[in-house]
Amino acid sequence: MKFIIGIGGVTNGGKTTLTNRIEKILPNCCVIHQDNFFKPQDQIEVGDDGFRQWDVITALDMEAMVNTLRGWVENPVKFARSHGVPLSPLAEGSAPESQTHILIVEGFLLYNYKPLIEFFSKCYYVTIPYEECKRRRSTRTYTVPDPPGLFDGHVWPMYLKHRKEMENNCRAIHYLDGMKSKDELYNQVYEDIQNSMLNSL
């Protein structure tokens, strides 16, 4: 069985922390991070707001991301091995295809690109309020540092715009409260995934 989980959400909402924890506990679990598909800085346009447009879908090579995902779908065992993911030992005499393989796709714009949405077995979205998001963002160090005013001038307005778009695109989203403790979030998602996998057997 193949099971693909989307963990999306607002910037600094806790997506990666949650993803890394879930990945460690689930068997045969690979992860694709959307952040690995950003185009080079010189290909990022400057918008009418005066900022480089990092927080939009065109800043990402979504075609490459979908192709990476397809690679996993075609051969999760090969994908796991090439990414150094340990696989569960096979039960005596059973075929590799009989195993459950899980892929987590993590990113801030997962549900705004239709070719990606159709892959997901389960869609999660982490939200936090404006003040908390701004506070967390200001404590992070990025490879390309945030210029002054970027959060209010670009990051947050784009988040609101994309969230509205996403709600029209993708109906089956489970919203998660990013203000809950890391343990609460993890337990909630882990239990939900377990139940969904049992139901789809």
Side-chain angles (χ1 to χ4, degrees):
M1 180 175 77
K2 292 173 195 162
F3 204 78
I4 301 179
I5 300 156
I7 297 183
V10 64
T11 176
N12 296 284
K15 304 179 293 294
T16 310
T17 307
L18 178 61
T19 298
N20 292 342
R21 249 185 109 171
I22 300 262
E23 176 194 12
K24 285 187 179 82
I25 197 83
L26 293 174
N28 304 326
C29 184
C30 295
V31 175
I32 293 174
H33 295 283
Q34 191 172 33
D35 281 1
N36 293 338
F37 294 90
F38 271 113
K39 292 174 182 172
Q41 191 178 349
D42 59 7
Q43 289 179 31
I44 306 296
E45 293 169 19
V46 174
D48 298 336
D49 56 18
F51 295 111
R52 278 197 191 271
Q53 304 293 292
W54 288 104
D55 287 65
V56 296
I57 204 91
T58 51
L60 298 147
D61 188 344
M62 292 305 293
E63 217 172 291
M65 187 172 178
V66 169
N67 287 338
T68 304
L69 210 150
R70 283 205 184 102
W72 180 88
V73 171
E74 280 161 21
N75 194 333
V77 172
K78 186 178 169 192
F79 188 99
R81 287 194 178 125
S82 70
H83 288 77
V85 174
L87 295 167
S88 306
L90 276 175
E92 201 62 47
S94 65
E97 299 74 49
S98 67
Q99 277 195 326
T100 295
H101 290 275
I102 300 161
L103 178 68
I104 300 176
V105 184
E106 179 266 329
F108 72 109
L109 280 180
L110 295 187
Y111 312 125
N112 295 74
Y113 190 71
K114 288 211 164 82
L116 197 60
I117 297 169
E118 62 196 45
F119 284 101
F120 295 120
S121 320
K122 203 88 190 163
C123 301
Y124 297 101
Y125 193 86
V126 188
T127 64
I128 51 174
Y130 164 83
E131 288 79 11
E132 178 63 12
C133 189
K134 189 171 184 175
R135 186 192 68 74
R136 290 188 193 178
R137 178 95 182 195
S138 68
T139 62
R140 286 277 291 275
T141 310
Y142 290 97
T143 320
V144 180
D146 281 358
L150 181 76
F151 186 83
D152 285 320
H154 177 64
V155 174
W156 192 257
M158 284 297 139
Y159 159 67
L160 295 176
K161 175 181 177 279
H162 289 127
R163 181 163 170 175
K164 201 170 171 261
E165 227 174 68
M166 163 191 99
E167 285 165 353
N168 297 330
N169 276 347
C170 187
R171 297 274 172 234
I173 297 172
H174 296 257
Y175 290 93
L176 303 170
D177 178 359
M179 298 299 279
K180 285 183 173 174
S181 74
K182 290 181 176 129
D183 287 346
E184 274 180 292
L185 268 182
Y186 164 76
N187 290 332
Q188 181 186 345
V189 173
Y190 180 64
E191 276 172 38
D192 194 47
I193 291 169
Q194 293 288 71
N195 291 336
S196 300
M197 283 167 53
L198 287 172
N199 291 335
S200 56
L201 284 174

